[in-house]
Amino acid sequence: MNNIEWTARLTRVRKLHEDLAGEYFADSLPLKVEVFSDGMREIPPEQFEHLDYREIKTGENWGKLWESGYFRISGVIPEEWRGKNVSLEFNAGGEVLFFDRDKHILCGLTHTCVNAADYRKELFHFPDKVKGGESFVFYAECAANGLLGDEINFGGPGMRCPVGILHKARFGIFRHDVLALKLDLEVLLALFSENSDANRWYKVRSAYQLNGRGLKLMLRIMDEAVRVFDANPENAAAARKVLEKAFAKKALPFSSAVAAVGHAHIDTAWLWPMRESVRKCARTFANQLDLLDRYPSYVFGASQALHYAWVKERYPELFERVKHYVKEGRWELSGAMWVESDCNLPSGESLIRQFFYGKRFFLDEFGIEVKILYLPDAFGYSGALPQIIKKSGCEYFVTQKLSWNDTSKFPYNAFIWRGIDGSSVLSCCPPEDNYNAKLMPDQLNYGEANFSANDICDEFLSLFGVGDGGGGPSSDYVERGLRCADLEGCPKVHFDTAEHFFERLEKHRDELPEWKNELYLQCHRGTFTTQNDVKSGNRRNEQNLIALEGIYSLADSAAVPQKEIDRLWKTLLANQFHDVIPGSSIGEVYQVTAREYREMEQKINQLLENFAADKLNADNEALTLVNTLSFTRKRRITLPEKFSGSDLEWKLNGRTIPLQLDADTGAAFIYLELPPWSITTLHREKKPAVEAVKVPEQAAAAKQLKLENDFMLYEFSPAGTLTRAFDKRYQREVLGKSGGNRLKLYTDNPTDSDAWEIDKFYLENHFEEPEASGEVLFEAGSIYQALTFQLKIGSSHIRQRVILENFSA
C-alpha cells in the first residue's frame, strides 16, 4: 500500500466516522416543548407542573445569559414504534438538569464545551423498549450559560452554540449500533493520530518486526468495514462484525496498565457565580450515577466536601444514591479539603481548616477517612503542605497543574514530595498532562511515553471526563475505555480508584525520586496581585476568626457559638478556592465575595461584643487587649475612636504607655508588648501625654530625609528611593548599589490572560519612574517617625508614607 492509497483509504474511514453522527435516528418526531422563564429566579421541582408555560419552537430565544428556564417536554410514541429503542435529543442552549414526570432527577445535558470540541451531551435514552401509543412527559431546568459561562467568545467554528435558544428538540428510534460503530472507528482511528509522537506502533515496530504491517492490516480491516457499511445505517452491525478482527488484536506484552478514574473537575466559582456551581454539581452527580448504574466496572471520583454538602442540602435523593456507590467502592471521595483551595495565599491555619472541615464532613457522612489530597488545578503548592497533609491524616497527593509550567518542564510524574519540616507524601502528576482526558489511544500512548517512572512502575493514573459542569465522562468515554482494555497499539485500561493506584505505587516508593520544598508553578504569576481587595479581605477575616476563637476559649463550652463559628470558617474557606482568591474569576464572583467578607466582619464584631457584654465589666476609663497568638506581639495599636484624644494618658501597672497621634489620619496609637495568650487591661487618665515636635526640627529632619532609631539608619532621595540602610548593631551597610524602594512603571500587556499572567519580557518594557512633585513631610513622636513623599508618574500622583517604629529594627 503506497502513501497515496494509504491517505485515500484513511480519509474514507474518517469521513464515515464523521458522517455516522447524522445517522443515529432511523425516524424522529418533534417534541412539544413549553418554557417558563422568570429571569434568574430558581424554582424547586415540586412547583414545575404548576408553572405558566408557553410553547416554544426550535430557533426561538427563551432567556439571556445567566437566566434560568423551566421546560415541560412531552410527546406520544407512535404505535408502529412498538418494541423499538427510543431516544430524545434536546439542546436548549445551556446546561440542563433533566427530570421525569415524578420530578426524579435523570441526568444532566449540556450544549457545548470549549475543552472538548466534540463534546455535546444532548441525548437521553429511554431505559426500556417502548410499547407504542404511550405518552411521556419530562421536565428540564436549564441555565442559560455554557460550561464556561458565555462561551460564544470561546473556541472556533462548530464549538459556538448561543445560550438561551432552543436548538434541538426531537425524539425517535435510535440506532445504538450506529453509535457503537462510530465509537469503534473513533478508537481505531486514534491509533493513526498524526499528532501523537508517542504512538506505540511507530516507536516499537523494529523491535517487533512489524515494519508497519500492524497499521496496514488495521487500515485494511477498517476499509473493509466501510465497504460492508455501504452508506446504509442498517448495515452497522455487519460493519462492526468486521471490526471485531481489529479488536481481537491484543496489547503488546510490555504495555503499561492505566488506572482510569472518571473525573469531573468542577470549579467552585470561576466564569460563573458560585450559586451556579450548586446546579453544576447536581447535573454532574446525576450523570455519573446513571453511568454507575449502567456500567458495572465503572469508577468515578469527586473531591471538595462543599460540593457534597450542596447536593445533600438541595438534592437529597441524589446524595443518598451517592452514598450507596461510595459504600460499594465505585464512587471515590478523592479530595480531603473543603474546596480545592489555593495553596499560596491562605494562611497555614486556613489550610489546616480546609482539611479539618473537609475530612470531618466525609467521615461524618460516609464513614470514610479520605487519604488523598486532590488538587489538580491549584496554582502552586507551599513547601509547608506535606507536613499539613500528613498531620491531617492523608498519605497521597495528586496534582496536574505543574505540567503547565512555561519555563521548565517539571521532571516527575510519580515522586516523593518532602516538605520544609521533612514530612513526605507519595505524589502523582498524571502523565497525560490533562485532567479532562478522553481515554483515546493517542492520549494514552502519550501518557505512557511521558510517564517519568515508566521504567519503575508499569501503571499510570488517568483522570478522564469533562469538568466544570460537563457532567464528567459521558457514556462515550466509558465505551472507549472498554475498547482499550486490551488492544494492540495502546496501554491497557482498567477502571479503578486513585487510592488503589497509590497503594500499588507505594511498593515502588524506595525507587522513586524526591522533590524538596515548594512545588512552584511557573505560570499564572499575575494571580499574586490581581483582585487585591479579596486578598486583603481574606487575611483580615483569617485573623479575625482566629482571634474570635481565642477569645471564646475563655468562655464555658456551652457559651461558645460553635455553629456560627463553623459557618464563618466555611464561608471563608469557600472563597479560598483556587479561582476566587487568586483573582481569576469574573466580576460577579467578587461582588458576592466582598459582600460575604463585610458580613463576616460584622458578625465577628457582634460575637465579640456579645462576649464582652457577658464576660467583662464595663469601664469607660479602661481598655482590655487580648493577644490570642502563641508569641509575643510587639506592635503599635490603634485606639478606638472614642479613646483617640490627645489629652489622655494610658497606664499599665502604674507605668505610662507611649502614645502618639497620627499626623496623617488623626488616629491615636499606643505601643505595647503583649505576652502570648494574654489579657492586658490599661487605664487612662486625663492628662496631656503627647509632646509636640518643634517645627524647626521637623524641617531639618525632612531636609535630611532620614529615619533612624537605635537599630537602623535609613536615608532616602526626594523621590522616595532608599539610598542607604545602615545596621547600627553590626556597623555595616546592608543595601546594594541599586538602592531600594524604587517604584517603576512597566507596560503590562501579556500575550494571554491578563488577570493571570505576567510575561517574563515585561522587564523589557520599562516605562518610567516617579519624580518628586511636592515637599517631603516629616513627623516624629514617642512611637514612630515617618516620611511622606509626594510623587508623580505620567498623569498619576502617588503619596507614599514610610514609617519606622522607635522600638524595632
Side-chain angles (χ1 to χ4, degrees):
M1 187 185 301
N2 60 40
N3 289 340
I4 295 176
E5 183 182 359
W6 171 285
T7 302
R9 290 181 185 274
L10 191 57
T11 300
R12 185 163 75 149
V13 174
R14 286 174 173 161
K15 186 176 188 308
L16 174 60
H17 170 257
E18 293 171 1
D19 292 343
L20 285 174
E23 302 292 347
Y24 288 162
F25 286 92
D27 193 7
S28 66
L29 293 170
L31 289 161
K32 181 180 179 181
V33 181
E34 301 165 283
V35 66
F36 173 82
S37 180
D38 187 15
M40 294 170 62
R41 177 184 168 198
E42 294 187 16
I43 298 172
E46 57 267 21
Q47 296 181 20
F48 285 175
E49 59 188 309
H50 306 299
L51 299 178
D52 185 17
Y53 292 102
R54 64 176 177 85
E55 191 165 355
I56 183 174
K57 303 295 183 182
T58 55
E60 291 185 23
N61 181 279
W62 58 264
K64 299 176 182 177
L65 181 67
W66 303 125
E67 293 185 346
S68 294
Y70 298 87
F71 294 83
R72 183 165 59 195
I73 303 156
S74 58
V76 178
I77 305 293
E79 294 282 356
E80 59 270 24
W81 289 5
R82 179 180 178 84
K84 300 294 185 181
N85 293 308
V86 172
S87 298
L88 175 152
E89 184 178 42
F90 186 73
N91 183 330
E95 296 183 81
V96 170
L97 189 59
F98 216 60
F99 299 79
D100 66 16
R101 70 167 71 227
D102 296 320
K103 322 305 181 303
H104 297 303
I105 295 173
L106 296 172
C107 65
L109 304 177
T110 190
H111 75 301
T112 184
C113 174
V114 300
N115 290 330
D118 59 344
Y119 186 93
R120 282 183 180 169
K121 195 173 190 304
E122 303 169 332
L123 297 173
F124 171 74
H125 303 297
F126 286 50
D128 302 307
K129 293 184 177 180
V130 299
K131 297 176 182 178
E134 69 267 39
S135 63
F136 60 85
V137 174
F138 297 100
Y139 294 94
E141 169 196 83
C142 184
N145 51 265
L147 304 191
L148 304 185
D150 181 5
E151 293 186 352
I152 295 174
N153 297 321
F154 287 87
M159 294 173 67
R160 299 178 180 181
C161 193
V163 300
I165 295 175
L166 181 62
H167 295 285
K168 298 178 183 178
R170 64 168 173 163
F171 69 106
I173 301 172
F174 194 82
R175 296 185 175 115
H176 286 276
D177 52 357
V178 171
L179 173 59
L181 176 61
K182 186 175 188 298
L183 291 169
D184 288 344
L185 292 174
E186 192 168 82
V187 168
L188 296 175
L189 282 168
L191 294 169
F192 294 77
S193 172
E194 298 171 0
N195 298 321
S196 177
D197 61 359
N199 192 301
R200 170 183 299 282
W201 283 3
Y202 289 106
K203 293 288 184 183
V204 303
R205 63 185 180 188
S206 13
Y208 273 77
Q209 289 81 44
L210 290 174
N211 296 319
R213 177 177 178 274
L215 285 173
K216 290 179 182 178
L217 180 58
M218 189 68 70
L219 182 54
R220 286 197 176 275
I221 292 171
M222 289 193 292
D223 190 57
E224 182 184 349
V226 174
R227 292 198 305 273
V228 170
F229 184 78
D230 194 26
N232 184 354
E234 299 301 323
N235 295 331
R240 291 198 71 208
K241 191 72 175 176
V242 173
L243 294 179
E244 287 179 3
K245 293 181 288 186
F247 286 102
K249 297 185 176 300
K250 302 306 179 186
L252 300 177
F254 56 81
S255 295
S256 293
V258 181
V261 187
H263 182 58
H265 175 75
I266 300 175
D267 285 314
T268 298
W270 180 30
L271 300 179
W272 53 89
M274 198 173 292
R275 61 176 173 78
E276 189 57 43
S277 295
V278 180
R279 301 199 289 183
K280 285 178 180 283
C281 289
R283 294 186 282 264
T284 297
F285 282 25
N287 277 357
Q288 296 314 302
L289 289 165
D290 176 57
L291 292 180
L292 290 163
D293 289 344
R294 291 161 53 193
Y295 294 95
S297 63
Y298 176 59
V299 176
F300 176 73
S303 66
Q304 306 193 73
L306 173 59
H307 295 182
Y308 290 83
W310 282 339
V311 172
K312 180 186 177 184
E313 180 181 357
R314 283 275 297 271
Y315 308 95
E317 181 183 352
L318 282 184
F319 190 73
E320 290 303 313
R321 292 176 63 196
V322 169
K323 292 179 77 170
H324 167 77
Y325 279 113
V326 170
K327 187 175 182 180
E328 197 174 281
R330 293 177 56 211
W331 184 298
E332 184 174 30
L333 307 173
S334 52
M337 285 182 164
W338 187 244
V339 297
E340 290 183 9
S341 174
D342 179 82
C343 294
N344 294 315
L345 299 165
S347 66
E349 180 65 31
S350 289
L351 293 174
I352 293 168
R353 297 299 178 116
Q354 291 281 358
F355 283 94
F356 173 74
Y357 286 105
K359 286 177 69 77
R360 188 171 73 174
F361 180 90
F362 289 130
L363 195 59
D364 290 347
E365 297 294 337
F366 300 96
I368 288 181
E369 186 80 42
V370 177
K371 295 182 180 179
I372 302 176
L373 173 58
Y374 206 71
L375 294 174
D377 196 34
F379 307 162
Y381 309 93
S382 162
L385 204 52
Q387 179 184 16
I388 297 173
I389 293 171
K390 292 288 287 188
K391 291 195 172 184
S392 298
C394 289
E395 300 292 333
Y396 311 122
F397 172 64
V398 173
T399 181
Q400 175 274 330
K401 197 70 173 184
L402 298 175
S403 67
W404 291 41
N405 278 3
D406 62 12
T407 306
S408 60
K409 178 180 172 62
F410 187 74
Y412 307 130
N413 299 106
F415 61 100
I416 306 300
W417 182 21
R418 191 170 299 280
I420 296 169
D421 77 320
S423 299
S424 65
V425 289
L426 185 59
S427 304
C428 173
C429 299
E432 290 170 285
D433 295 343
N434 198 339
Y435 53 76
N436 291 308
K438 297 184 178 182
L439 289 189
M440 292 284 274
D442 51 346
Q443 277 193 347
L444 293 167
N445 282 329
Y446 170 78
E448 183 184 50
N450 188 50
F451 186 36
S452 64
N454 57 16
D455 59 334
I456 297 172
C457 179
D458 62 356
E459 181 182 30
F460 63 88
L461 184 66
S462 176
L463 308 177
F464 70 96
V466 175
D468 284 330
S474 67
S475 58
D476 291 2
Y477 286 57
V478 181
E479 291 284 352
R480 292 173 197 153
L482 295 173
R483 285 164 172 78
C484 292
D486 193 6
L487 175 65
E488 185 177 2
C490 73
K492 296 176 285 190
V493 172
H494 64 102
F495 302 121
D496 205 348
T497 64
E499 185 172 336
H500 287 162
F501 164 76
F502 274 110
E503 289 170 352
R504 293 187 290 271
L505 184 63
E506 188 81 58
K507 300 173 184 177
H508 304 281
R509 189 183 188 103
D510 294 341
E511 303 172 79
L512 294 174
E514 185 175 284
W515 183 274
K516 294 182 179 179
N517 299 333
E518 179 185 14
L519 292 171
Y520 174 70
L521 178 66
Q522 299 169 353
C523 190
H524 298 352
R525 298 170 182 86
T527 60
F528 285 95
T529 55
T530 303
Q531 291 286 349
N532 175 69
D533 287 349
V534 74
K535 292 172 171 60
S536 60
N538 169 77
R539 186 68 78 237
R540 283 196 310 275
N541 281 297
E542 283 178 329
Q543 295 168 343
N544 291 342
L545 276 172
I546 292 170
L548 178 68
E549 288 184 317
I551 289 172
Y552 265 95
S553 69
L554 302 171
D556 297 333
S557 58
V560 177
Q562 194 59 55
K563 288 186 178 179
E564 189 63 36
I565 290 174
D566 287 343
R567 185 190 68 80
L568 291 168
W569 266 114
K570 289 175 181 177
T571 301
L572 183 70
L573 299 179
N575 283 293
Q576 290 174 348
F577 179 73
H578 65 253
D579 272 315
V580 178
I581 193 172
S584 46
S585 292
I586 59 173
E588 186 173 349
V589 171
Y590 296 110
Q591 293 171 12
V592 176
T593 300
R595 186 188 71 241
E596 290 180 340
Y597 281 166
R598 288 194 302 270
E599 292 173 352
M600 286 180 69
E601 292 189 60
Q602 291 169 2
K603 187 62 181 180
I604 290 169
N605 289 335
Q606 178 189 330
L607 291 173
L608 289 173
E609 289 173 5
N610 293 346
F611 177 90
D614 186 47
K615 300 297 181 183
L616 301 178
N617 296 320
D619 185 347
N620 290 330
E621 305 304 319
L623 183 66
T624 297
L625 304 171
V626 182
N627 181 12
T628 59
L629 301 178
S630 59
F631 53 87
T632 298
R633 298 183 75 178
K634 300 179 180 181
R635 57 169 293 180
R636 55 193 172 98
I637 298 167
T638 306
L639 293 174
E641 188 174 346
K642 65 179 181 179
F643 293 146
S644 62
S646 62
D647 60 339
L648 303 177
E649 183 176 70
W650 290 93
K651 290 189 176 182
L652 175 62
N653 299 326
R655 178 173 59 86
T656 300
I657 302 300
L659 183 145
Q660 182 174 344
L661 292 183
D662 190 276
D664 189 48
T665 65
F669 292 100
I670 57 173
Y671 185 88
L672 277 178
E673 293 187 12
L674 300 175
W677 294 107
S678 65
I679 301 175
T680 303
T681 299
L682 308 178
H683 297 274
R684 68 174 179 173
E685 297 178 1
K686 292 282 186 179
K687 182 180 178 182
V690 180
E691 294 182 7
V693 178
K694 294 180 181 179
V695 174
E697 293 180 3
Q698 274 189 318
K703 188 174 292 186
Q704 293 176 11
L705 298 180
K706 291 182 180 180
L707 294 176
E708 184 176 6
N709 61 16
D710 291 340
F711 308 100
M712 295 293 299
L713 167 64
Y714 297 103
E715 296 180 2
F716 298 83
S717 75
T721 301
L722 184 62
T723 58
R724 187 187 184 197
F726 181 72
D727 189 323
K728 296 167 72 172
R729 290 171 298 180
Y730 296 98
Q731 292 294 299
R732 66 179 183 182
E733 302 287 346
V734 293
L735 187 66
K737 293 181 179 179
S738 60
N741 193 41
R742 294 184 64 187
L743 302 181
K744 295 184 177 182
L745 185 64
Y746 294 89
T747 301
D748 180 20
N749 187 23
T751 55
D752 186 37
S753 306
D754 57 356
W756 303 59
E757 308 299 351
I758 298 176
D759 293 333
K760 63 181 180 181
F761 46 76
Y762 86 90
L763 291 169
E764 300 170 5
N765 301 317
H766 180 206
F767 187 60
E768 61 179 303
E769 296 186 24
E771 298 177 349
S773 63
E775 183 183 359
V776 179
L777 305 177
F778 175 79
E779 60 184 290
S782 57
I783 298 178
Y784 64 86
Q785 310 156 46
L787 287 170
T788 301
F789 297 94
Q790 313 290 334
L791 309 173
K792 183 180 180 183
I793 185 167
S795 59
S796 299
H797 294 271
I798 300 172
R799 185 171 182 273
Q800 186 184 52
R801 194 158 180 252
V802 184
I803 298 173
L804 177 65
E805 292 184 350
N806 298 333
F807 306 97
S808 59

